[in-house]
């Protein structure tokens, strides 16, 4: 955590509230940001006196809530497809990319069903992925199409793989939980979802770079924010060196 004086100076320079004008903020953020943003929020609040509360869920669920009138100050999505429509509707400022992520395969540590990428298409494998409306679910399907196009594992690899799907979850943390509970032989998640808690319980099978997907996360202030200066201060902190250091600690990649 950086010193309070340093953080306050950083935020004041961005026209944000300092301790004297503390605000209560609500941040809607993609489920994959849970650990990183929880730590980041504590550092931000310690330096500003603000009180930041988070609502973590699938980006598509958060988007729907905002479209239906939910009140929040900041929205951080796991892809632009769930963010851009809110910009079009005038509900949020244009998105600023702040991190990237990658996909990976996980399997229960003591379950040998998944050893290589090719095993995803083998009959009988119990695979869990996210629903196609969820950013990680969209990235997963893009990854499968990239494999099909390569021909490396046969042109119908995605068809056979999707036949093995036993559950489609509404956010990536639910996907990871299915593997943690032993309810699946394999799952596709972000690399950042292999948290210190999950890591001892699973095996990680890396995806070849040519098939992986570049997940870019946008963030912005909601137009209906009751505390727009403090909300912008939070966005500034996420993009600052200190904020980026916390995000990197939890496995996220820089936005460029």
């Amino acid at each position: 955590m950086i010193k309070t004086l340093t953080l306050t100076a950083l935020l004041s320079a961005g026209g944000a509230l300092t301790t004297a004008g503390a605000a209560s903020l609500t941040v809607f953020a993609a489920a994959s940001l849970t650990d990183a943003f929880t730590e980041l929020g504590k550092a931000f609040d310690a330096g500003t006196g603000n009180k930041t509360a988070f609502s973590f869920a699938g980006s598509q669920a958060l988007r729907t809530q905002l479209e239906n009138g939910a009140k929040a100050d900041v929205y951080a999505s796991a892809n632009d497809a769930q963010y851009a429509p809110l910009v079009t509707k005038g509900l949020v400022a244009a998105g600023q990319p702040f991190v990237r992520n990658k996909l990976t395969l996980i399997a229960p540590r003591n379950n040998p069903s998944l050893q290589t990428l090719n095993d995803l298409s083998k009959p009988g494998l119990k695979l869990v992925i996210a629903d196609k409306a969820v950013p990680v679910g969209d990235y997963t399907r893009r990854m499968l199409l990239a494999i099909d196009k390569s021909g490396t594992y046969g042109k119908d690899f995605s068809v056979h793989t999707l036949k093995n799907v036993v559950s489609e979850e509404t956010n990536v943390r639910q996907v990871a939980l299915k593997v943690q509970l032993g309810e699946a032989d394999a799952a596709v998640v972000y690399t950042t979802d292999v948290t210190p808690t999950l890591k001892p319980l699973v095996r990680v099978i890396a995806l070849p770079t040519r098939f992986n997907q570049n997940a870019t996360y946008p963030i912005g202030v909601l137009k209906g924010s009751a505390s727009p200066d403090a909300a912008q201060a939070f966005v500034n902190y996420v993009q600052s060196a200190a904020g980026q250091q916390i995000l990197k600690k939890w496995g996220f990649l820089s936005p460029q």
Side-chain angles (χ1 to χ4, degrees):
M1 183 182 299
I2 65 176
K3 293 182 179 179
T4 300
L5 179 61
T6 303
L7 177 57
T8 302
L10 168 68
L11 300 181
S12 296
L17 295 184
T18 60
T19 305
S24 295
L25 296 175
T26 298
V27 176
F28 277 20
S32 52
L33 292 165
T34 298
D35 301 287
F37 264 28
T38 297
E39 180 176 343
L40 193 151
K42 289 177 181 178
F44 173 76
D45 288 353
T48 61
N50 292 329
K51 295 182 179 179
T52 306
F54 294 94
S55 179
F56 296 109
S59 299
Q60 82 294 342
L62 297 172
R63 169 193 166 186
T64 298
Q65 290 175 36
L66 292 169
E67 288 175 330
N68 289 329
K71 299 299 182 183
D73 300 286
V74 176
Y75 177 45
S77 173
N79 70 0
D80 194 57
Q82 296 301 331
Y83 190 99
L86 297 180
V87 176
T88 301
K89 293 180 179 180
L91 296 177
V92 68
Q96 305 171 52
F98 69 99
V99 286
R100 290 178 297 118
N101 215 339
K102 294 289 186 179
L103 300 177
T104 195
L105 302 175
I106 59 172
R109 182 164 291 277
N110 297 320
N111 184 330
S113 299
L114 182 73
Q115 296 294 329
T116 68
L117 175 60
N118 191 46
D119 291 334
L120 283 181
S121 64
K122 290 185 176 179
L125 183 89
K126 292 187 292 184
L127 175 64
V128 175
I129 60 175
D131 183 84
K132 62 183 179 181
V134 185
V136 72
D138 179 52
Y139 291 129
T140 296
R141 288 162 177 81
R142 291 174 183 269
M143 177 266 291
L144 293 174
L145 287 176
I147 295 172
D148 278 353
K149 289 181 180 179
S150 75
T152 304
Y153 299 101
K155 62 179 181 179
D156 293 326
F157 178 83
S158 64
V159 173
H160 296 303
T161 296
L162 291 173
K163 285 181 179 179
N164 286 335
V165 173
V166 294
S167 179
E168 297 185 26
E169 302 299 318
T170 57
N171 70 68
V172 70
R173 289 302 170 93
Q174 289 297 319
V175 175
L177 182 61
K178 290 287 187 178
V179 172
Q180 183 177 341
L181 296 175
E183 296 178 7
D185 299 321
V188 184
V189 297
Y190 295 120
T191 57
T192 56
D193 294 302
V194 187
T195 62
T197 299
L198 183 63
K199 192 172 183 178
L201 305 175
V202 301
R203 289 182 297 106
V204 176
I205 296 88
L207 286 165
T209 302
R210 66 187 187 279
F211 302 142
N212 214 321
Q213 300 296 301
N214 192 41
T216 301
Y217 290 47
I219 189 171
V221 176
L222 287 154
K223 296 294 183 68
S225 171
S227 303
D229 288 342
Q232 185 60 54
F234 180 84
V235 173
N236 291 347
Y237 185 59
V238 167
Q239 296 178 305
S240 72
Q244 289 292 303
Q245 184 176 7
I246 293 172
L247 289 159
K248 183 178 179 181
K249 169 188 170 182
W250 287 98
F252 288 94
L253 303 171
S254 64
Q256 284 87 24

